[in-house]
Amino acid sequence: MYEPNVVGDWQEYEEHAGLRLRVHRLEPAEPPRGRDDAAAGLTYFSVRVTVENRGPRPYGIHLEDGQIDVRVGPDGEGAFIDWRNSQFIEGFDVYPLRRATAVLYAAAPEAALTHVDVQVQLRVDDEWTGRRLWAGGIGVLESTPATAPTGTGQSSLAHQVSAFLRDQAEPGSA
């Protein structure tokens, strides 16, 4: 069975030697050029997508709008993607031992941010790679569990992912 990556994990592409991708730094953040009017009442967050080349040759990378999909909440509702504030990778050559990072700004209802899925389909040298999925969450509601939706108990996926990420961020954790 296919299991999603946890936000922060690297995913290697077997068909492109040495090329790997990571979705990371999923965090609350205000967009640099101001909020979009269509996101009124929603909570903004950002996520970074980094492509790293550890192989012997350069790769032409494309990671543009439409190649990243963000879903939030237990039902997988689509997040509002702020294309105006986001920064993509458009036709960039990633040479060996170099990286390129895209920064995506999105918005969603605050209660849905405990479960965030990010799906990425990278284009490398004008060839599409397979879709990859990362699961994570923003601990926006962790201090007020009484407001969490019904069914988000200790055994929910969002709670497990949040606990894992929290354990990884604490110094001296195993």
Side-chain angles (χ1 to χ4, degrees):
M1 181 175 142
Y2 173 75
E3 292 185 24
N5 300 294
V6 174
V7 170
D9 286 350
W10 286 99
Q11 175 66 52
E12 307 244 350
Y13 287 100
E14 294 176 10
E15 63 271 21
H16 302 289
L19 194 65
R20 63 188 197 159
L21 181 77
R22 174 171 77 150
V23 171
H24 60 110
R25 290 190 52 188
L26 175 61
E27 58 194 9
E30 286 296 318
R33 293 183 203 98
R35 299 174 65 86
D36 191 299
D37 292 341
L42 301 177
T43 301
Y44 263 92
F45 62 96
S46 69
V47 62
R48 293 176 184 269
V49 180
T50 298
V51 179
E52 181 179 66
N53 185 357
R54 302 177 87 188
R57 69 172 199 84
Y59 290 105
I61 303 299
H62 301 273
L63 186 58
E64 303 165 339
D65 57 336
Q67 291 175 249
I68 302 172
D69 189 17
V70 180
R71 300 284 165 169
V72 297
D75 293 331
E77 297 287 331
F80 170 78
I81 308 292
D82 190 335
W83 303 116
R84 182 176 57 102
N85 281 296
S86 298
Q87 303 163 359
F88 298 100
I89 303 170
E90 300 178 22
F92 189 77
D93 292 331
V94 181
Y95 283 85
L97 303 176
R98 304 298 288 171
R99 291 180 176 176
T101 300
V103 180
L104 185 74
Y105 287 91
E110 186 173 358
L113 295 180
T114 58
H115 187 120
V116 179
D117 293 331
V118 179
Q119 183 172 281
V120 178
Q121 185 173 22
L122 189 64
R123 202 166 84 206
V124 180
D125 293 333
D126 294 324
E127 293 178 18
W128 293 100
T129 63
R131 296 175 195 262
R132 301 289 193 258
L133 178 69
W134 281 261
I138 299 174
V140 175
L141 299 175
E142 287 182 16
S143 62
T144 58
T147 62
T150 305
T152 58
Q154 293 290 327
S155 62
S156 73
L157 176 63
H159 179 75
Q160 292 173 16
V161 171
S162 293
F164 173 80
L165 294 173
R166 186 174 48 254
D167 290 344
Q168 295 299 312
E170 293 175 3
S173 63

